[in-house]
Amino acid sequence: MDSFTLNKIDFDAVRQILARFCSCTLGRQLAERISPSRNPQVINRWLRQVSQMVTAIRNIGPLPLAGVTDISEALDRARPGSGAGGEDFTIIASSLQGAANVRNYLNALPEELDLLHESAGGIGDFDGEVRAIFAVVDPDGTVRDDASSRLGEIRRQIAATTRQIHDAIYGYLRQPEVARLLQDAVVTLHGDRYVLPVKAENRGRLPGVVHRESNTGATVFVEPNASVELNNRLTDLSEDERREIQRLLGELSLHIQRRRGEIDTTMQALGQLDLVSAKAEYSCQFDLTCPDISETGALQFSGARHPLLIEQQFQQEKAGLPADKRHPVVPIDVRLGADFDLLVITGSNTGGKTVALKTVALLAVMAQSGMHIPVQRGSRMPAFRDVLIDVGDEQSLQQSLSTFGAHIKRIKHIIRKADKASLVLLDELGAGTDPDEGGAIGQAVLDELRRIGCLGMATTHLSVLKAYAFTHDRVDNASVDFDTTTLSPTYRLRIGTPGESHAITVAQKLGVLKRMVAAARKHLNAQGKQFRRAIRSTGVVRRQAEDARTEARKAQLAAQDQQECYEAKLADLHRLREQFQAWLATLGELKVGDEVVVPKLNKAGKLARLELHRQVAVVNVDQLQVEVPLHELMPDLGQEQIREQIDGLRKQILDQARSSRQEMDEVQHMRQELHLSLKQQKLRARQFDAWLGAISRLKVGDEVTIARKPGKGKVLEVNLPGLRATVQTSDRQMELSLQELFPQTGPFVRREVHPRGAGRPKSRRGKPADRNRPMTRRSPTGKAAKANREKLLAVEPGKQVFIIPFNKRATLIRINPEKDQAVVQSGVFEMELPISDLELVHNKE
């Protein structure tokens, strides 16, 4: 893509921000060189990878890239004969261990994150190489004593010889006749030799080898004869040690070199994954959105914000700047290619016209580089073959080009290179020369862009170009708002209405003499005045139409949000039904001696017996027998509440459908797009069942992991009906929600014991989802319910009935018509249910 454009829109600054989110140098190097693609299939694949990584980060946690570094130089040194040290192999092993962690993370993700699963295939299995390295080298890079039996023996001899040398040399210090010969009663090292500092006048009186003299000549350093032979032996042993280490590291080099190609491929895959992870982290931090990319079609950016202005605001907030001192980021709505292809933007200076151009260009380049962008959901764009921009003062003293000449040279290049698949953005079209001639050239440029058929935006102050948009097909006006009271821009972009420069109004507000203002208005030519009156007469209607379009867009997004909420509630309902079925099956399998919870006492006990005729369970608790009504053992998770929420949401959706057919069409389209999301909800339900199984096995005295510091504790008390537990940690006692036990995400999670794809369920905003929502009960009113009730009242005890909420058969024990309740038996357990939840089972003869 056009390098001039990438430079002018500060894409390199975005690269640097992206590199900041990378975990290792492999990803940072790729982020700093990231470039856009022209292939819509490639772009969509990149964007899907990032979207899947966002889901993984929010639901599971960040990609575990700890320990992964660029090991290319260490691998080069690890070639046989290249002299790699233990530190080089430690670095290699650390990165290969990190690769294994990443591969395990990807393989454990839900199946619908298919592109991330595919990425795991590019990461090799190097467990054998890691074991081989750490069998020889310690994590600090030191070669281990037990790396080989010979090395261990050599080092034992070195240690023994060193002790002998120490004893011999220090033995001299304890001899009075030797001490008198020394300058100081100390032992020093000369290279790897132990020597004594002898006074120069005593040279020759201590038998041994003189290694050197002091700078002043007053001292000579003597190695006594008793330690010379020992030092020679130590030198030989040290050389043996060096050779053995060299042999061991050489064998490691051969081991690593055999798989060098696979290691290089793995490191490339890790670099790509680090880049994808950085894109996802960037998206999460700044709430970015994945745009829809097509091969052709319209560009529609809703709520578009400039990424560098967002970054600026973030840094100001990070620095503690008060909110009123921060520069606001005003979102803009831009569209091209639907009802018009070219947009002429006018308005006052410093009003945001150039920022609007750069925002559109930068977001298009970011999207085609596989990055989420700061726009609202539903924003879309085609894959552009080129994004071509002319912005800024390109006057060149070396080439003797004026500002106007530089613009013309750039426009010439753009016209020659642009085609139907290009996005062209021109700043201050027609400026820098006589307004009449500049306007004529500007119109000629717009004519050429219309002939090419590309999408484009151009800013200008020339009225003739405003008029051009009124008189030519597929061209429209837009303006940036300006507050003439405060003399400040609002940075809002309004499509359909040309803007004014407000030069005379600003001059008047700044105190220019009234007669000068009046003269300036008088000098405005009649054609200009007539044109401004035409703008004002059509501006109100056009603005209303654009406002209606904006409101419709907001309504569509609101409908989409409500539908997503509705679908999530339905998924919760289905999950709760499955949960209750599993719970009911567990209760039906109760046996004497099983542990149950007594809700009124908030204590656990052992089941002594079931008295079905009395609908009670007798439980041994603290040396006492307590009678517990059977229905109290059935947890109530508030089924009625979720049913009411679903009914309310359904009513809102139906009301919106009646008021706007277009909204309903959008909702239907959205439902299809959410199919993948619903599959993920079902997967999370299965994950929750695994967590529920851990809770069901919970006993007082168990050591459990918790979602708070210090991350583990001992269970003192469990209150299943109240969904609470009391836990003793190392420093205090705390009462926790059951959801804080056995955390599946966060710093205290034990990932190695989690099932495939485990992770604590999350809501759409990333907070822990409430899994304890109610089950739908059947309505007791209506003709069908009343007819069903009459049938059940006529049934004799012992008949089979069907429990609708649990999707399970049971035996009817008795019916209490006054309370509209029925007692049924499932397995060895009895329960009391509303009559409306039961139906007769008709056995076919």
Side-chain angles (χ1 to χ4, degrees):
M1 193 167 283
D2 188 68
S3 59
F4 180 91
T5 296
L6 298 183
N7 179 53
K8 280 299 177 179
I9 63 177
D10 297 315
F11 185 57
D12 194 56
V14 173
R15 288 169 170 154
Q16 295 303 317
I17 296 172
L18 181 61
R20 191 178 71 210
F21 288 92
C22 292
S23 299
C24 62
T25 53
L26 295 169
R28 279 191 288 274
Q29 290 170 359
L30 293 177
E32 290 168 355
R33 301 193 304 268
I34 189 175
S35 60
S37 171
R38 297 172 174 175
N39 188 320
Q41 286 76 31
V42 171
I43 297 168
N44 278 310
R45 182 179 176 84
W46 288 348
L47 291 173
R48 280 186 59 210
Q49 284 180 323
V50 175
S51 296
Q52 291 185 12
M53 187 64 77
V54 168
T55 300
I57 289 173
R58 288 176 173 169
N59 294 351
I60 309 297
L63 196 66
L65 284 162
V68 176
T69 58
D70 183 1
I71 58 174
S72 56
E73 293 183 1
L75 287 170
D76 289 340
R77 289 192 294 270
R79 291 193 181 100
S82 296
E87 299 84 357
D88 293 318
F89 288 103
T90 299
I91 293 171
I92 292 170
S94 177
S95 289
L96 296 183
Q97 278 186 319
N101 294 335
V102 172
R103 186 179 66 252
N104 294 337
Y105 172 96
L106 296 175
N107 285 331
L109 291 175
E111 292 180 1
E112 54 265 30
L113 304 183
D114 56 322
L115 295 181
L116 298 186
H117 273 290
E118 290 179 18
S119 300
I123 301 176
D125 184 350
F126 302 101
D127 290 346
E129 283 67 27
V130 172
R131 286 194 298 269
I133 290 173
F134 285 131
V136 174
V137 182
D138 279 330
D140 62 357
T142 304
V143 177
R144 298 165 58 94
D145 292 347
D146 58 355
S148 72
S149 58
R150 173 168 171 73
L151 181 62
E153 178 60 29
I154 291 172
R155 285 183 172 175
R156 284 190 292 273
Q157 293 181 26
I158 287 174
T161 304
T162 301
R163 285 193 300 271
Q164 292 174 5
I165 294 173
H166 181 275
D167 293 343
I169 198 77
Y170 279 93
Y172 279 101
L173 295 181
R174 290 190 292 271
Q175 300 177 23
E177 61 275 15
V178 174
R180 288 193 297 269
L181 304 176
L182 303 180
Q183 193 73 258
D184 296 295
V186 296
V187 176
T188 61
L189 277 173
H190 177 73
D192 57 354
R193 299 273 178 159
Y194 290 97
V195 295
L196 295 174
V198 177
K199 296 177 182 177
E201 59 268 24
N202 295 327
R203 179 193 292 265
R205 294 186 180 182
L206 178 64
V209 177
V210 177
H211 284 276
R212 67 182 179 89
E213 294 183 355
S214 65
N215 293 333
T216 62
T219 305
V220 292
F221 295 92
V222 179
E223 181 184 7
N225 286 336
S227 61
V228 168
E229 187 63 31
L230 291 173
N231 271 324
N232 289 339
R233 174 170 172 74
L234 182 63
T235 300
D236 292 340
L237 287 171
S238 298
E239 179 63 19
D240 290 343
E241 179 190 32
R242 185 190 67 78
R243 290 175 180 173
E244 180 63 11
I245 289 174
Q246 188 176 27
R247 183 186 71 80
L248 292 169
L249 295 182
E251 290 180 354
L252 282 182
S253 296
L254 290 172
H255 199 157
I256 294 299
Q257 200 61 35
R258 282 195 292 266
R259 302 194 65 187
R260 173 64 187 270
E262 296 173 68
I263 294 175
D264 287 341
T265 300
T266 291
M267 300 313 295
Q268 291 172 7
L270 291 175
Q272 290 293 339
L273 283 166
D274 189 22
L275 177 62
V276 173
S277 178
K279 291 177 180 179
E281 294 277 8
Y282 187 15
S283 177
C284 290
Q285 176 158 331
F286 292 106
D287 195 23
L288 309 184
T289 302
C290 178
D292 296 328
I293 305 293
S294 57
E295 189 168 353
T296 58
L299 178 147
Q300 169 75 61
F301 287 162
S302 300
R305 297 166 293 155
H306 196 290
L308 300 185
L309 295 182
I310 298 173
E311 169 69 10
Q312 181 187 61
Q313 190 178 52
F314 170 75
Q315 295 298 338
Q316 290 173 344
E317 181 179 358
K318 187 177 178 181
L321 201 66
D324 57 343
K325 299 294 185 181
R326 301 174 204 156
H327 296 293
V329 182
V330 180
I332 60 174
D333 294 341
V334 180
R335 68 180 191 274
L336 295 168
D339 43 347
F340 55 86
D341 299 326
L342 302 179
L343 191 63
V344 178
I345 306 175
T346 50
S348 60
N349 291 321
T350 69
K353 299 189 302 297
T354 303
V355 172
L357 291 188
K358 288 187 173 183
T359 299
V360 173
L362 188 52
L363 296 192
V365 170
M366 286 176 63
Q368 292 190 213
S369 301
M371 299 176 67
H372 288 182
I373 57 178
V375 293
Q376 292 178 355
R377 286 187 306 166
S379 295
R380 63 186 188 276
M381 57 170 278
F384 295 108
R385 184 171 290 113
D386 266 310
V387 177
L388 303 163
I389 194 169
D390 173 39
V391 62
D393 184 359
E394 291 304 310
Q395 182 171 342
S396 170
L397 295 178
Q398 293 179 341
Q399 297 183 20
S400 301
L401 290 175
S402 65
T403 300
F404 176 75
H407 280 300
I408 291 298
K409 183 178 180 181
R410 176 62 183 168
I411 289 173
K412 173 186 173 183
H413 170 78
I414 290 174
I415 295 298
R416 185 174 64 250
K417 195 172 183 181
D419 58 17
K420 289 184 178 181
S422 298
L423 174 64
V424 175
L425 305 125
L426 306 175
D427 193 33
E428 297 296 346
L429 181 61
T433 188
D434 177 81
D436 289 337
E437 294 188 7
I441 292 175
Q443 291 180 79
V445 171
L446 295 177
D447 284 340
E448 192 62 21
L449 294 181
R450 288 176 63 233
R451 184 194 65 79
I452 292 171
C454 62
L455 302 184
M457 299 169 62
T459 69
T460 186
H461 286 283
L462 301 178
S463 295
V464 66
L465 297 184
K466 302 176 190 178
Y468 184 95
F470 276 108
T471 57
H472 291 78
D473 293 336
R474 308 298 297 173
V475 186
D476 206 343
N477 276 304
S479 61
V480 288
D481 280 353
F482 186 84
D483 191 331
T484 56
T485 302
T486 62
L487 301 183
S488 60
T490 67
Y491 301 106
R492 288 194 299 269
L493 183 68
R494 289 192 176 274
I495 293 177
T497 306
E500 299 183 31
S501 298
H502 301 288
I504 297 177
T505 303
V506 170
Q508 183 179 9
K509 293 286 185 179
L510 293 177
V512 173
L513 294 175
K514 291 183 179 179
R515 64 175 177 272
M516 294 176 62
V517 172
R521 297 190 188 280
K522 181 179 179 181
H523 288 313
L524 282 175
N525 60 52
Q527 184 178 1
K529 294 178 181 178
Q530 183 178 3
F531 178 65
R532 286 175 176 78
R533 284 195 293 270
I535 290 176
R536 295 190 186 99
S537 64
T538 60
V540 174
V541 176
R542 186 59 191 273
R543 181 167 294 189
Q544 289 175 347
E546 289 299 321
D547 289 343
R549 179 190 289 267
T550 301
E551 291 302 318
R553 173 68 181 169
K554 291 179 180 178
Q556 291 170 11
L557 291 176
Q560 186 173 352
D561 289 339
Q562 288 178 347
Q563 183 69 13
E564 287 180 350
C565 185
Y566 175 72
E567 297 285 357
K569 295 295 182 185
L570 284 179
D572 283 344
L573 180 63
H574 295 315
R575 176 185 43 75
L576 283 171
R577 284 176 176 165
E578 294 176 1
Q579 179 182 340
F580 263 80
Q581 289 170 3
W583 200 304
L584 184 61
T586 302
L587 293 176
E589 297 171 359
L590 278 177
K591 303 183 300 294
V592 173
D594 286 349
E595 186 176 275
V596 296
V597 174
V598 181
K600 291 181 179 179
L601 300 179
N602 288 331
K603 290 185 177 181
K606 301 289 186 179
L607 180 65
R609 64 181 179 275
L610 293 175
E611 296 185 1
L612 300 180
H613 63 287
R614 297 177 55 212
Q615 304 180 61
V616 297
V618 180
V619 183
N620 293 324
V621 182
D622 296 338
Q623 308 299 322
L624 298 174
Q625 282 196 342
V626 181
E627 291 185 351
V628 184
L630 294 183
H631 66 83
E632 290 188 10
L633 298 179
M634 291 294 296
D636 179 14
L637 301 184
Q639 293 90 334
E640 191 64 28
Q641 180 183 358
I642 196 169
R643 184 177 63 80
E644 292 175 356
Q645 291 175 353
I646 289 176
D647 288 343
L649 287 167
R650 185 186 294 115
K651 184 177 182 302
Q652 291 179 23
I653 292 174
L654 292 176
D655 288 344
Q656 286 183 338
R658 284 192 293 267
S659 64
S660 172
R661 180 62 186 173
Q662 182 182 6
E663 287 182 17
M664 182 52 71
D665 292 340
E666 288 289 330
V667 168
Q668 182 62 29
H669 177 65
M670 179 273 303
R671 287 178 64 114
Q672 296 171 356
E673 294 179 339
L674 286 177
H675 178 67
L676 186 61
S677 177
L678 290 177
K679 288 176 62 178
Q680 185 176 357
Q681 291 284 348
K682 294 177 183 177
L683 177 62
R684 292 181 187 172
R686 293 195 295 270
Q687 295 172 352
F688 179 75
D689 286 341
W691 174 83
L692 188 63
I695 291 295
S696 67
R697 295 187 294 272
L698 185 64
K699 304 187 298 295
V700 172
D702 284 354
E703 286 284 338
V704 297
T705 54
I706 61 177
R708 301 189 193 181
K709 289 183 178 180
K712 62 181 179 179
K714 185 176 182 179
V715 177
L716 301 181
E717 186 177 349
V718 180
N719 176 10
L720 284 178
L723 303 176
R724 310 289 293 177
T726 303
V727 176
Q728 177 68 50
T729 66
S730 57
D731 57 349
R732 62 188 172 119
Q733 180 177 312
M734 62 180 72
E735 186 180 13
L736 303 175
S737 163
L738 290 185
Q739 291 183 348
E740 293 186 83
L741 304 184
F742 307 108
Q744 299 186 36
T745 61
F748 304 111
V749 61
R750 291 184 178 177
R751 297 189 186 280
E752 65 276 8
V753 300
H754 288 173
R756 179 181 175 90
R760 187 175 179 182
K762 297 290 183 96
S763 65
R764 286 196 310 112
R765 294 186 178 274
K767 298 179 180 178
D770 184 2
R771 292 299 188 183
N772 299 296
R773 290 303 182 94
M775 176 194 309
T776 300
R777 293 291 190 187
R778 300 184 78 200
S779 172
T781 61
K783 291 183 179 181
K786 291 178 180 178
N788 183 59
R789 184 176 187 277
E790 293 301 324
K791 292 179 182 178
L792 288 169
L793 291 176
V795 171
E796 296 179 0
K799 292 288 187 181
Q800 289 284 298
V801 294
F802 191 76
I803 308 173
I804 300 299
F806 301 156
N807 192 28
K808 189 177 184 68
R809 288 192 181 199
T811 303
L812 180 65
I813 303 299
R814 62 178 175 275
I815 293 179
N816 187 342
E818 290 77 15
K819 294 184 178 180
D820 279 330
Q821 295 288 320
V823 177
V824 299
Q825 179 179 348
S826 176
V828 297
F829 217 85
E830 289 184 5
M831 67 193 78
E832 190 176 41
L833 298 168
I835 295 176
S836 56
D837 282 349
L838 304 179
E839 283 185 0
L840 282 176
V841 173
H842 301 288
N843 294 319
K844 295 182 180 180
E845 299 296 337

